[in-house]
Amino acid sequence: MNKKVYILVLTISTLFACQPKLDYPTDGDNNKNLNTLMTLNVGENTIFLQDFVLNPTEIDSITSLSEKLLCRIDSSKMTATFTVSKDMEPFVNVKLWLKDVPYSLPCRKTDKVETNFTFDPQGKIYTKVQIAGQMNDWTASRMPDLKLNEKGLYELTMQLSPGTYLYQLVLDGDQNADPANPNKVDNGYGKFNSLLQIRGNGDKYPGIYTSKFGQTSLVLSTKNEVKNIYVYWQNFLLPEKFVSYVNGNIKISIPEEATKFDRSFIRVWVSNDIGVSNDVLIPLKNGKVLSKAEDITRDDKQAQIMYFALVDRFCDGDSTNNHPLNLLDVNKKVDFWGGDLAGIKKQIDNGYFSYLGVNTLWISPLNQNPLGPYGYYAPKKTKFSGYHGYWPISSSKVDFRFGTNAEFKNLVADAHEKNMNVLLDYVAHHVHIEHPFYKQHPEWATPLYLPDGTLNTEKWDEYRLTTWFDTFMPTLDLSNQTVVDMMTDSAMFWLNEFKLDGFRHDATKHITEKFWRELTLKIKEDNNGKNLFQIGETYGSPNLISSYLTTGMLDGQFDFNVYDVANTTFAGVGGSNLQQVQSILNSSLYTYGSHNLMGNISGNHDKPRFMALASGDLKFGEDSKAAGWSREIGITDSTAYDKLFLMQAFNMTIPGIPVIFYGDEIGLTGANDPDCRRMMKFDKLNNREIMLREKVATLAHLRSAQPEFIYGDFINLSTTKDSWVFARKYFEKAAIVFLNNSAQSKIIEIDLPKELETKEFKSTFNHTFVLDKNNLKVELPSYSVEILISLKS
């Protein structure tokens, strides 16, 4: 076996005149899904090899050139142990050898730094002081208690990556925001989360940017010192003959083998002694750099613009299937309202989604739900119907109040004809007590009671894999292989029966990794090795969220950490600002990558509507759920529409997948669940609603027409507390985004960096701008957006 591994510390050379070849077999199933960049902690790391190789028993050996990384494959060949020394290089390439073919696994060392956290009790003495937040997934017991030092401060030393963390303090059992920290945001449940900022050396990290391309090659520019260059085509590290480094420019020859692939990718990272750069992702079409928007298809995951339709509250297309409970003990707000699959299909057919610029529909769960009410909300003395779809009593039948299996098949086929994807919201975590699974096999559920006799309900973090969401919703024991097989087979039924394009997964962090790996493996095996898009829902730290994001599990999750701060910042409540949003976004880009598949949401069915906060009708810090039950939430300040457009513009132009919560394109308002789940409006819109919808549609179509928003580099240009300028650049194409999040008009002035010089621009929203050499000035009214698109292409 040839085990020679090429270390890419490159010397100056020129591009080769002919297109070089890899001379490896490249059409195997292990080359169809891009291997995830792995972040390794100091010490031992367990690597699940089936995430990257469909049949790990075929692996002969695992190698790397680093003397500071020990790779040991376990006897079963299903896992490997990577042992990292504290002085390991920032970036290491690992090769998985299968019959003389080296599949590469890019790896980087964690950037965690030692952080000393202190709390000033203002002279008070506490018996027990703990921290609960994103650094420990909101579980205080996972970290030692803070200790009182000689200065009268409580302190704790933690290992944390640079970035911004939400947290609360637990003072003798009372959990609230840090009283000594003025920086906080509303948590939506009547309390606040404090903000902790950890600074790093990101300004010294190297950077890489797309520069230019030809028929068989491309060039990247760099910033800061570059010591090592790693260029991958699909899952192969390109040898030295493909890459050269000349005067700060990286020149890359595209392998001849790429010409046989309708879609393949070049990925690049560079490193120095301080850290690792952003990633560059370059799509290829038959071996040539993809540069035209018309060549992007709905199969390109980064190009998705998602729309979430809560079926019962979206559109009533067939009144004959309307069957509200109409019971005295069920408040109308939580009964069935008549939305159905016929209503969604009606909007597909009349071109609503095409007009809006959406290309991916996320549809709420369709499983049959119980006929009677469950649960209880004491202040209103009401039970609840299963209108939302999250209480399944069947694993194969569409709820008759939403339609039929045949209707769903037709809807998906119709969407595909109109070049749209359909994702189904799949519930694997639990069933309803009326489900035959639970009735026949109660042992397939986790225990409802803990060993101490207390109910194991809503213990989201302490018992996240076993807790029940309510006493009538048994959590399935997904450590049981029988249950895993049953639920993954159920998911495959929905996928294959209805020709779906993937899933949105409910309650991701409450489900074992075992389940996610088995489901993804079945999808790959059923799809000639290719995975379909899967996005999850996890509230927690970036570390917890990213633990589910590998080639063998999920593609992305909703980025609630960015959403939580961006939501209050653009709404103008809570005291957060754009610099804090930028900090959290930077953390996300580092954790998930500069071309991640995280969902950037405008809202959520478990959160208060943006408009309610932005208009001031929902008070910052109040119990938003109780508010929706106790009073009518309206829109008393119409500037909320402008603020929502800022939020939408932010989501549509940053890396990741923009997700429109139904109604956020028109400014639907409401407090928390169930008030945030009002019926969608299509007619009798006021002028503000119409204008917002038109501008959101403009954003979506702009994103789809400009590859820089899909595959481009993210370049921060200027950030203040209430303004932000950033650019997206993809070779010669560029866009500059200006956000004015203040109540005053502004003239925003920036000097363009060398990557953006010599370009001419056109305005998207017709605001005045002046470009003088590399100096750019833009006049923006209050709460407004401008996007300048380069004319040179």
Side-chain angles (χ1 to χ4, degrees), residues 428-582:
H429 168 265
H430 60 265
V431 293
H432 190 275
I433 56 173
E434 292 185 18
H435 198 295
F437 289 172
Y438 183 68
K439 285 185 171 182
Q440 297 168 17
H441 294 280
E443 74 277 9
W444 285 354
T446 61
L448 176 57
Y449 291 91
L450 295 169
D452 64 3
T454 59
L455 276 173
N456 185 13
T457 55
E458 297 187 1
K459 297 184 183 296
W460 313 122
D461 300 306
E462 309 98 299
Y463 298 95
R464 66 180 176 86
L465 295 177
T466 62
T467 194
W468 288 32
F469 287 11
D470 210 326
T471 55
F472 56 87
M473 296 165 63
T475 290
L476 295 173
D477 181 6
L478 290 165
S479 66
N480 182 329
Q481 186 60 49
T482 299
V483 180
V484 171
D485 290 342
M486 175 183 67
M487 293 308 292
T488 52
D489 286 346
S490 168
M492 293 304 297
F493 164 79
W494 288 94
L495 196 68
N496 292 324
E497 179 72 8
F498 300 101
K499 311 302 180 188
L500 298 171
D501 301 290
F503 293 116
R504 179 269 187 184
H505 288 295
D506 187 53
T508 300
K509 76 173 184 180
H510 300 291
I511 297 172
T512 62
E513 292 183 8
K514 180 185 185 72
F515 171 86
W516 299 123
R517 288 194 159 92
E518 182 157 322
L519 174 59
T520 302
L521 180 62
K522 286 183 177 180
I523 292 173
K524 289 178 180 177
E525 290 176 339
D526 207 48
N527 197 34
N528 297 317
K530 185 77 171 168
N531 195 12
L532 297 178
F533 182 70
Q534 299 183 84
I535 189 167
E537 174 207 36
T538 292
Y539 293 90
S541 67
N543 184 60
L544 175 65
I545 292 168
S546 63
S547 69
Y548 293 93
L549 306 182
T550 79
T551 313
M553 291 196 284
L554 305 184
D555 295 280
Q557 299 214 57
F558 300 115
D559 200 336
F560 292 110
N561 295 320
V562 169
Y563 166 79
D564 283 341
V565 178
N567 179 58
T568 54
T569 299
F570 288 115
V573 297
S576 54
N577 61 64
L578 290 178
Q579 290 172 332
Q580 293 169 343
V581 179
Q582 182 202 345

Side-chain angles (χ1 to χ4, degrees), residues 49 68 103-104 110 179 181 221 267 300 328 368 415 431 480 523 534 597 612 619 635 680 734 754 768:
L49 297 175
K68 308 297 183 180
Y103 294 100
S104 285
T110 180
N181 183 352
S221 62
R267 293 183 294 166
D300 290 305
L328 292 177
Q368 181 65 50
V431 293
N480 182 329
I523 292 173
Q534 299 183 84
L597 293 167
K619 304 304 178 186
I635 301 174
M680 177 61 183
K754 65 177 182 179
T768 300

Side-chain angles (χ1 to χ4, degrees), residues 216-236:
T216 60
S217 63
L218 59 98
V219 177
L220 309 178
S221 62
T222 65
K223 76 168 186 178
N224 293 340
E225 179 189 21
V226 172
K227 292 193 68 174
N228 303 282
I229 303 173
Y230 302 85
V231 181
Y232 298 83
W233 172 72
Q234 292 297 98
N235 291 324
F236 294 106

Side-chain angles (χ1 to χ4, degrees), residues 162-450:
T164 300
Y165 295 82
L166 301 176
Y167 74 96
Q168 294 177 336
L169 290 180
V170 187
L171 306 177
D172 289 340
D174 185 21
Q175 184 167 325
N176 281 293
D178 184 345
N181 183 352
N183 297 316
K184 58 187 178 180
V185 295
D186 186 359
N187 72 354
Y189 298 98
K191 291 188 177 183
F192 298 91
N193 295 327
S194 298
L195 292 166
L196 174 64
Q197 179 75 42
I198 306 298
R199 303 197 179 279
N201 295 313
D203 58 335
K204 298 179 182 178
Y205 284 12
I208 44 177
Y209 309 99
T210 51
S211 180
K212 54 188 176 182
F213 65 91
Q215 289 294 308
T216 60
S217 63
L218 59 98
V219 177
L220 309 178
S221 62
T222 65
K223 76 168 186 178
N224 293 340
E225 179 189 21
V226 172
K227 292 193 68 174
N228 303 282
I229 303 173
Y230 302 85
V231 181
Y232 298 83
W233 172 72
Q234 292 297 98
N235 291 324
F236 294 106
L237 178 70
L238 295 185
E240 287 180 306
K241 67 179 181 179
F242 288 86
V243 188
S244 65
Y245 187 42
V246 181
N247 297 327
N249 292 318
I250 303 170
K251 300 182 179 180
I252 302 168
S253 293
I254 298 171
E256 182 182 306
E257 289 86 348
T259 61
K260 301 175 183 177
F261 286 65
D262 178 65
R263 180 74 79 251
S264 62
F265 293 89
I266 293 283
R267 293 183 294 166
V268 186
W269 289 270
V270 302
S271 66
N272 58 23
D273 292 337
I274 306 298
V276 180
S277 71
N278 58 295
D279 63 280
V280 163
L281 178 71
I282 302 166
L284 306 176
K285 179 177 173 60
N286 299 120
K288 300 185 186 303
V289 171
L290 187 154
S291 61
K292 297 178 180 178
E294 53 264 34
D295 290 331
I296 298 174
T297 74
R298 68 181 179 90
D299 293 325
D300 290 305
K301 295 179 179 180
Q302 274 81 7
Q304 294 178 99
I305 299 175
M306 195 182 300
Y307 189 99
F308 173 39
L310 186 66
V311 177
D312 182 63
R313 303 299 167 89
F314 187 65
C315 181
D316 185 355
D318 179 5
S319 61
T320 65
N321 61 26
N322 291 0
H323 299 284
L325 301 188
N326 285 332
L327 298 175
L328 292 177
D329 59 351
V330 177
N331 190 289
K332 187 178 184 301
K333 281 192 174 185
V334 290
D335 204 347
F336 283 87
W337 285 8
D340 48 30
L341 292 172
I344 296 177
K345 188 174 184 300
K346 174 183 175 182
Q347 298 305 327
I348 293 174
D349 290 340
N350 71 17
Y352 183 77
F353 298 112
S354 298
Y355 158 76
L356 198 58
V358 168
N359 58 21
T360 299
L361 293 182
W362 154 26
I363 295 176
S364 57
L366 296 173
N367 310 61
Q368 181 65 50
N369 270 233
L371 301 184
Y374 283 83
Y376 189 70
Y377 183 66
K380 284 294 179 180
K381 299 180 181 179
T382 184
K383 296 179 180 179
F384 299 78
S385 75
Y387 71 93
H388 42 67
Y390 289 95
W391 298 347
I393 66 169
S394 169
S395 294
S396 59
K397 181 179 180 296
V398 169
D399 194 309
F400 65 89
R401 291 161 291 199
F402 299 151
T404 66
N405 286 30
E407 282 184 282
F408 189 36
K409 282 185 182 180
N410 291 336
L411 183 153
V412 175
D414 193 24
H416 288 169
E417 286 181 5
K418 294 176 174 59
N419 205 31
M420 295 176 63
N421 298 313
V422 178
L423 308 179
L424 179 64
D425 199 325
Y426 184 70
V427 182
H429 168 265
H430 60 265
V431 293
H432 190 275
I433 56 173
E434 292 185 18
H435 198 295
F437 289 172
Y438 183 68
K439 285 185 171 182
Q440 297 168 17
H441 294 280
E443 74 277 9
W444 285 354
T446 61
L448 176 57
Y449 291 91
L450 295 169

